[in-house]
Amino acid sequence: MEDLDFDQVATLLSELSQPSAMPKLTGGRKGSNAFDANEIDFASSAWLARIVEVATWLNLDATFEQQDSPKSVAIKLFDELSLGKAEASFQMEDGHVLLTEMGAQTLGERLSRAVSNRANFLQMLDEELSVAAATEAWIDAWNEAPPTEPLSINAKVDKWRINELAGIAELGELDLNPSYQRDFVWSNADSQMLIESILRGIPLPSIILARVSNSSSFQIVDGKQRLTAILRFMGKHPEGMENAKRMKEPQLFSTNFGLFARRNNLRATEVRENYFPFKTKKYPADDPLAPLGGNYYCDIRDQKVRIAGESVSVGNLFERAAGDYFIPVLIYRDTLVRDIHKVFRLYNQQGMKLNAEEIRNAVFNHLMISRLMLFVSGDRPEPEIAPELIEAGIDPTTAHENIKALGFGITRFRRTKVLLWTVATLILKPAQGPDSAYRTPSTASHIDEFLRSIDDKRLAQFRSKGALENLANDLIAALELHQLSSDAWHPKFRRKGKSEMASRWEELPVVASLLACLILVITRQEPKLEQGIDEVRDLTSKMVGPQSTQNKTQWAHIANASTSILETLGVSMADADATVRDRYGDSAIDALLEIRKIPMI
């Protein structure tokens, strides 16, 4: 034991015990009484009691009962933290549970993450976010898997002038819209703030590009929003320039955009959607930027600004190698995008705020199924995202309309998440513990494992073009069935943990009901839902989702709701399992029948 360093574990436990607001959770989990690090006894089983006291902050699925023995508590704890390695995490000595070096390391990692998530939760409360909203964000943080080290990185740090970035874009040597990127989401106000930063000489964050050897082309990995704003302002965005050519008097586009907009009767939404220029902000009379305010770039090229103590024209700042204004550029060469985004995961711990879906989309973008989900969901509806599906004659337009009708927008790949969650739940069984019970991983972990299984060919069938065409068609049909039978879903069913009527859907009941529809489509029993709408509506009126945010209760709700709907319609679960296996090679239906037995708190 003298070789183990328990100081860090003790310090983290003590920090978690300090008085503070708590996440809004159910199930009777409460805060602890504060204790000091030096009060924790690692020479006996007493340290386990301290773990139980701060268990809320650890976001554990395991629950600890008063009658549990210390060994039972240790097994539950470490079976969740390091599945299959619990026995290596502690040892029994004279009836006491003592940490091993591996156990101290595993526990320290969880505690460290808990302290970080707790600090973010309390910061959100300080910023006057509601406890409910802060709790949701806290749960989302736990659902994001910890970062792993990238496999291979070949990076170069450089600094470029604005005209260099604009030049490669104009030459067609910069891919501004790779399929793993979200759409351009910045408002004009966001874009104006960026341009103001440049005009004041304020440094910008790095632009991150990927480049393949022996190629002059680059791909934007990070900084799409910033670079798009700059190119729009200058009138140099490639898509904007092409769109202008198809309009009246295109020669006015770069010389007098205001007149160009009037001649073409452009509305504000059309200006943004076509990647056209926007005006600068207006400034007070005493502001150095006042003469530039409220103007398009073409109108202020000759105006002067001071950058790094020098006077330079706006035109020279943006279009020529003048002044000392540079943008940091990080260039990755011959590096997989998934590895670049593993670096992003490490950045996340230092304030970078990509969500789990954005990171996942980059890490697994090389898989056709990822692009399929983007395309079918409508998060990225452009035909070039999934040319294989276009070639096969697959049109997801109705799917886009049906997902929109559920109340899901296209921000941050939320639609893609729902479809991936549904398919992963249908196909991939969760891992089983020593007791043969199915584990209930977080949504992000399960989806990631599903995609990893495809990537490493454990689910190689989902790399087949034929299987993916079937999947796209089945998802489109399932969404259509879900919408056609909209009266089957009682308003109480559409939200979790709330009894009031709801017109809009939350993710959990959507996945449950869409999963049932997908199985009906695969087994070709769609008419049963249309004929049994009244029975299903009565059933779903009693299926209010769990208030608990624990993974196991959410799994139980999805499993219970989806299978109960199918059983109510007279669908044989054994036959459905066999049919799904026949079509897709794997099925998790029998696992769902076991998981639905978990009590919902």
Side-chain angles (χ1 to χ4, degrees), residues 58 134 165 217 309 370 373 444 581:
L58 298 182
L165 287 163
S217 296
S370 294
M373 294 296 179
R581 287 180 187 280

Side-chain angles (χ1 to χ4, degrees), residues 558-573:
I558 290 174
N560 181 57
S562 59
T563 56
S564 296
I565 288 167
L566 293 168
E567 288 172 341
T568 296
L569 295 173
V571 175
S572 163
M573 300 311 298

Side-chain angles (χ1 to χ4, degrees), residues 74-138:
I75 289 173
K76 287 182 180 181
L77 172 67
F78 286 108
D79 186 44
E80 181 168 342
L81 298 190
S82 54
L83 181 61
K85 299 178 182 179
E87 292 183 358
S89 300
F90 68 92
Q91 61 188 25
M92 299 300 299
E93 188 174 308
D94 297 329
H96 293 294
V97 177
L98 306 181
L99 271 175
T100 63
E101 185 173 4
M102 178 178 290
Q105 177 177 303
T106 300
L107 183 56
E109 290 171 354
R110 184 72 170 202
L111 291 169
S112 179
R113 194 173 176 198
V115 166
S116 176
N117 289 344
R118 176 181 179 272
N120 289 334
F121 171 81
L122 297 177
Q123 181 180 344
M124 285 185 277
L125 296 184
D126 288 341
E127 294 170 354
E128 299 185 356
L129 212 64
S130 69
V131 174
T135 299
E136 185 176 349
W138 178 79

Side-chain angles (χ1 to χ4, degrees), residues 22 54 87 90 108 144 179 266 272 279 331 354 380 389 393 426 429 471 482 571:
M22 301 289 292
V54 302
E87 292 183 358
F90 68 92
E144 293 188 12
S179 59
L266 295 178
R272 186 178 177 281
K279 293 180 178 180
I331 303 169
L354 293 175
R380 292 297 304 272
L389 300 183
L426 174 64
K429 295 180 182 179
L471 181 60
H482 193 281
V571 175

Side-chain angles (χ1 to χ4, degrees), residues 28-62:
R29 295 187 284 179
K30 300 178 181 178
S32 66
N33 295 318
F35 51 81
D36 293 332
N38 57 14
E39 296 176 28
I40 302 173
D41 179 12
F42 291 104
S44 71
S45 302
W47 62 274
L48 281 167
R50 301 304 191 184
I51 298 290
V52 174
E53 287 185 61
V54 302
T56 295
W57 289 116
L58 298 182
N59 193 40
L60 299 171
D61 278 340

